[in-house]
Amino acid sequence: MTDHFPATVPVLVAGGGVTGLSAAVFLARFGVPPLVVERRAVPATDPRARALNPRTVELYRMVGLEEAVLATRSPVAEHTVVAHAETLVGPELMRLPNRLGPDTEGLSPCGWAAIDQNQLEPLLRADAVAAGADVRDHTEVVAVVDGPAGVEVTVRDHDTGTEHRVVAEHLVAADGAHSPVRAMLGIPHDGPGTIARKINVYFEADLDEPLAGRKIVALTLRNAAVHGFLTSIDGVRRWRFAISLRPEEGAAEFTEARCVELLKAAIGVDVPVVVDRISGSPWEIRGQSARRMRVGRVLVAGDAAHTMPPVGTFGVATGVQDAFNLAWKIGLHHGGLAGPGLLDTYETERLPVAQETTRLTVDRYELVNGKPGNPRESAARQRMMMFGHTYPEGAFVPEAAVVPGALEDPDHPSGAPGSRAPHVPLERDGTPLSTVDLLDVVPVLFAGPAGAGWAEAAAEVARASGVPVRCHHVGRDVVDVTGRFTEVYGIAEDGAVLVRPDGFVAWRTTGAAADRVATLAEVVDRVLFR
């Protein structure tokens, strides 16, 4: 690592957490390895998020990281219980459906990945660096001036105390819930804001008897003496209890002696506990989303754009999807394959998703903490949000019959533009694969079984426009295992569907077009804002 900072870079990413490092991985995949600056001196060691949902794993699969992600197992990989009770030994008042259950089977080639956030970040960092990204620790953005020729970014190296001026064509603000970059841009928030303040107590104890065989992911405990949630660090004897603070309370009031009392009140029986450490300052559970996710050449992503309660892994999932959305658009624009208007669709597409997901997670957090409600209805809504969110407008050719921005039932996908391209099992030369596996760094055209002319049209459009549209003829170069491809995508046997690099449908035709070349050329120009 060198102390030298480049004077200019195509993309600078502020923040080296999951969203920022994912953005670096994805940008490198699209030919634009960025400079990443992270204000922490050392990586985080707290597990925080403990799993990735199947849609998130799909995105890592697209860049070749699925195998490494699945091979890195959380110590609580086999734990399933998320519940609410008065004490650990008391009866459960509510249990939520298994977070890693079979409820997504058939919807994706991927399943849940039980990996802790502090395990995921090193994987992402290593992959980004190997692909050419420049990652600098203990360095942060301290000033931003956006202009027509680029973003002038001042970064401070905390190891040397020096400041450097870097001009980037685009700046990705992924610098966390208290994002300094977002504050510099003056972007306000909407939503309830701070829902709870917590202090973390890390301790060791043998809780086998109080748990009575339960493998907990998170157990919310609330009684007259204490309110908080318990999680396992190592799956055996090390625990974290996040205690809710009253408005007037601060960290200084949580001495070791008091924390031991509160732990025993939460457990419900007198078992030996050894406090390892108590966090030095409270942390907040927040529910809010920014009003903007793009200001000029600055794109805001992850917790910097939307802060959610820690339920359902949606905080990480939404940030990773932000990162992929902006990466393919920046990549194609920087590669000369798309016009500047394509980048406008980042906010158009992702902001409504951020707002809806924030509402969902706030409602679910309140349900977990005792608010009346139906946990199965909440789980169904969560499942729809995972796979069924649609974009109201953006980088696709809309259809009049489609309700923009609606949540789809993932069991009955429409295959319509603006929605996630459904997973369909396929085979090539006897090898099983998914439609997801055929996505590329450029748009991919799937032609129906009788759509032989679409491959030639794609080749002609590529020659004329310079956009290398890939074409897969379902029934010829790939076999439709279930025979349902045309039904799922809502096209005729001689129809076609264009899918974006992020796995969203850009356009479809239910049947053969009179002039396939002219039709496809116009569609590609519209989708890429050429």
Side-chain angles (χ1 to χ4, degrees), residues 197-200 245 249-252 279-284:
R197 294 164 60 242
K198 303 281 187 178
I199 196 84
N200 285 340
L245 277 64
E249 289 183 315
S279 55
S281 59
W283 60 280
E284 297 176 336

Side-chain angles (χ1 to χ4, degrees), residues 156-213:
R156 179 176 297 143
D157 182 340
H158 289 294
D159 289 331
T160 64
T162 57
E163 294 186 353
H164 305 268
R165 175 181 171 274
V166 180
V167 177
E169 291 185 51
H170 290 95
L171 170 63
V172 176
D175 49 345
H178 300 285
S179 167
V181 174
R182 186 192 63 229
M184 294 173 203
L185 297 173
I187 300 175
H189 279 102
D190 292 314
T194 301
I195 300 170
R197 294 164 60 242
K198 303 281 187 178
I199 196 84
N200 285 340
V201 181
Y202 299 83
F203 68 101
E204 293 189 17
D206 181 356
L207 300 182
D208 284 352
E209 188 172 338
L211 284 170

